Amino acid sequence: MATPLTDQEKRKQISIRGIVGVENVAELKKGFNRHLHFTLVKDRNIATPRDYYFALAHTVRDHLVGRWIRTQQFYYETDPKRVYYLSLEFYMGRTLQNTMINLGLQNACDEAIYQLGLDMEELEEMEEDAGLGNGGLGRLAACFLDSMATLGLAAYGYGIRYEYGIFNQKIRDGWQVEEADDWLRHGNPWEKARPEYMLPVHFYGRVEETRGGSKWVDTQVVLAMPYDTPIPGYMNNTVNTMRLWSARAPNDFNLRDFNVGDYIEAVLDRNLAENITRVLYPNDNFFEGKELRLKQEYFVVAATLQDIIRRFKTSKRGDAARTSFESFPEKVAVQLNDTHPAMAIPELMRIFVDIEKLDWDTSTAAGINKEAWDLTRRTFAYTNHTVLPEALERWPVALLEKLLPRHLQIIYHINQVHLDRIAALFPKDMEKLRKMSLIEEDGCKRVNMAHLCIVGSHAVNGVAEIHSNIIKTDVFSSKSVSCRPLQAAPGYHMAKMIIRLITSVADVVNNDPVVGNKLKVIFLENYRVSLAEKVIPATDLSEQISTAGTEASGTGNMKFMLNGALTIGTMDGANVEMAEEAGEENLFIFGMRVADVAELDKSGYDAMLYYKRIPELKHVMDQITSGFFSPKNPDLFKELTDMLFKFDRFKVFADFEDYIKCQEKVSKLYQEWTKMVIRNIAATGKFSSDRTITQYATEVWGVKPTDLKIPPPNEPREAIEKTARALKKM
Ligand SMILES: *Cc1c(COP(=O)(O)O)cnc(C)c1O
C-alpha cells in the first residue's frame, strides 16, 4: 500500500507538474488575449496559428521577466564569481516548451490553451528553431547554459546573433540542396535588444610604439549590439542571460574617409560591416580559413571581454578592489568552447598591458607572477572538441598581421616566453621546440590556435574520457599546408554523395516487391533540434559506429540511451563510458579498439583484402559499382567507391565483418530488449549535463552550485537579502 504524502511532499509534487489552479489558468488566458490584442494587433477572426503561438510566447515570457531582473540584481548584490561560456555556436532549438516546463507552467498553459479552443501542439510547431549551431558543439553549449542556470551558477553565454543560422536542408531528386534559414523573419519574442550597451570593435590598422607602450591605431570600427535571451533554471527562480552580439555599422561609416561626397554609396557600404554577423559557417569539424570567419571570432571576443571587464569594474566591491585586477581570476572564469574564441587570450593580454597598463609579468624572489599573463592563464580554460587535423584552426600569420596586427605581436611574445621555458626544460631539443611552438613554420606560416589555448589556459579538457586521454598525446601533431583558404570542405562533396547513395538505396529497397512493405529506408530531411526531440525517443537501435579514436565524444549516443534506445557501437567517444555505466553486456560493442587501429596503421590498411575475403562486403560494393542503385547513371558513385578502396582514412572495411556479426546478435536479442533498455536508462545519470557542469564548477571554475532558490518576484526585497546571507554562510 502506498504511504500517504506529507503536505510538503504534496506541495513538491504539485510544483514539479505545475499548478493548474483556476486563478492560474484564468490569468494565463487573460495574458494570452491581451497579447493577441495589444502585441499582435489581431482578433480571433483573423488570427493565424502563428499569431496564437506569439501570443502564448509573450504570455509565458511575462512570467520570466521578474525572475530575470531579480536574478541579475541578486548577482550584483552578492557578487559571486561569474562563469562566462564563450562559443561561436549556441544550438538552442525551440524555447517555448522548455520555458513552460522550467517555470512549472506547462499544465496550466495546456489547460488555458485547451479552454481557448486551440491546439497546443499546433502552436508549438509554429516556433522556428534557433539553429545557431552545426551539431554537437553548439548543442553542448545550449545544454550547458540550461544546467548552469539549474545549478544556480552566476553564468553567461556569449556568442553571435547570426541573422541566418544553419541552412535548411531540402532533398530534391535525391540530392541535398540548401536554403537560407531566415529564422528572424517573423520576429523573435525571446530576445531583447540592448542598443544602450553597444560596444566598438576594432579591425585592421597598425601598431604605434610610444613611450607609454604599444598603441593600436588607424583601425576600422564596427559596433557590437547585444541581444539578451533569458535562460531559466529548472524550478529555481534563476534566470541567467545569453548575450548574442550583432554587427552594426557606425553612423559615420565610410563617410569621413572614403566616400566623401557620396552619401548614398556610403550608406550602401554599411552592409560590409554588418555582414560580420550575417551567417553561421556550416562547417562541422572543418577549418576553412576564411577572413570573414576570423572577423566573427574576434568580433564576439572583443565585445564580450569589454562587457566582462565593465561588469568586473562596476561590481559592488570597494573602489580599490575595482581598479585592481589582482582578484580578476577569483571573480571571472572564461570557458573557451573549442579554439573558435581563442583570440580572447591575446585580447585580454592587450587590455591588461596596453590599456590597463599592467606589466606582462613580474618575477618576485619567491618566483610568483601576479601580473597580466598570470591573471590571464588563471582566467581561461579550454575545451578541445576534435583531433581530426582538418578541423584544427591554424590562422595564417599574414591574415592576422593585416586584420589584428597588435594581437599577432602579442601572440609572438607569448610564444617567445613559452619557447624559452621549453628550451630551459629540454636544452637543445629543436624538434620539441618546433612541435610545441604556437607558430608553424613549415609550409605557410600559421598560428596553431589549439597550442595558443593550451598555453593560455589553466585547464584543458576533451569532451569524453577517452578523448581527454587522446589529446594529451595527439593535438600536437600537424602537417604543413599552403596559405590559400581551403575552398569548400573536401568532405562536403563526399557527404553530399553519401546522402545521394542513401536516397538511391531507399528508392530500390522501398519499391522492392518483397521487402518494400516490411522495411523502409527513410532519409530524414533537415535534421535539427526540434526534429531530434521527436526522432530520438522513437528510436530502438542507435548506431554509433565511428572508427575508434575518431569521434571525440558524440552526444547523440547519450541522448538515445537516456530515451530508451539500445546502442550498437565501437569503443569510441562516450560509448566507452556508456558501456562502463550500463555494463558492456547491455550494449552491442563491436570493432577495433584504439590500439587495434594504431596497430593496423602500422601494418598498413588494405581495403581490397577485406573486399576479397568477406562475401557480404564484396556483394555490397559490387552492387554499388555496377549501378544497381543508380541504373540511369551506373558511375554515379565511382568517387565514393574509389575513396573506400583507395583513400579511406576511417578504414571502415576493417570493422565491417564484426559489425554484421553484431547486427545478427541485435536481431536475436530483440525479445530481451526491454530488460536491456531499462538497464541502459538507469545507467545514464552520469550523462546529465548537470553532472558535467557540477564537475566544471568545482574542478575548473572554482565556484559552488547551489540549490538555494532566489525568491520569486512577488516576495519583498528582504527575502533576497535573507537568501544572500544564507549563501554567504555556505
Ligand atoms: C545532439 C545533436 C547533434 C549532435 O549529435 P552527435 O551524435 O553528437 O553528432 C546534432 N544535431 C542535433 C540537432 C542534435 O540534437
Side-chain angles (χ1 to χ4, degrees), residues 428-481:
K428 302 215 178 99
D429 191 343
M430 292 310 284
E431 182 58 16
K432 191 152 238 131
L433 287 182
R434 193 190 62 77
K435 271 172 101 172
M436 296 180 79
S437 173
L438 309 193
I439 314 289
E440 295 176 3
E441 304 271 0
D442 48 349
C444 160
K445 225 174 159 184
R446 287 166 181 272
V447 178
N448 184 317
M449 304 306 274
H451 291 198
L452 174 61
C453 286
I454 292 165
V455 172
S457 301
H458 68 277
V460 177
N461 69 287
V463 278
E465 195 173 296
I466 186 175
H467 173 63
S468 283
N469 293 332
I470 288 173
I471 59 173
K472 283 174 197 166
T473 53
D474 232 57
V475 210
F476 286 99
S477 67
S478 64
K479 56 171 191 262
S480 67
V481 271

Side-chain angles (χ1 to χ4, degrees), residues 548 569-571 589-593 596 654-656 658-659 662:
T570 49
M571 273 300 199
I589 297 292
F590 73 95
M592 298 176 285
R593 315 288 148 136
D596 302 324
D655 273 344
F656 183 87
D658 203 20
Y659 172 70
C662 198

Side-chain angles (χ1 to χ4, degrees), residues 30-43:
K30 229 164 72 186
F32 180 93
N33 287 324
R34 188 166 46 81
H35 277 298
L36 191 64
H37 185 80
F38 287 103
T39 310
L40 280 304
V41 198
K42 287 278 179 90
D43 63 34

Side-chain angles (χ1 to χ4, degrees), residues 589-604:
I589 297 292
F590 73 95
M592 298 176 285
R593 315 288 148 136
V594 172
D596 302 324
V597 178
E599 199 57 32
L600 182 58
D601 275 329
K602 247 196 248 157
S603 60

Side-chain angles (χ1 to χ4, degrees), residues 151-152 194 205 291 353 424 525 622 664:
L151 293 169
R194 302 283 192 196
E291 177 168 339
V353 173
E525 194 172 298
D622 288 350
E664 278 160 14

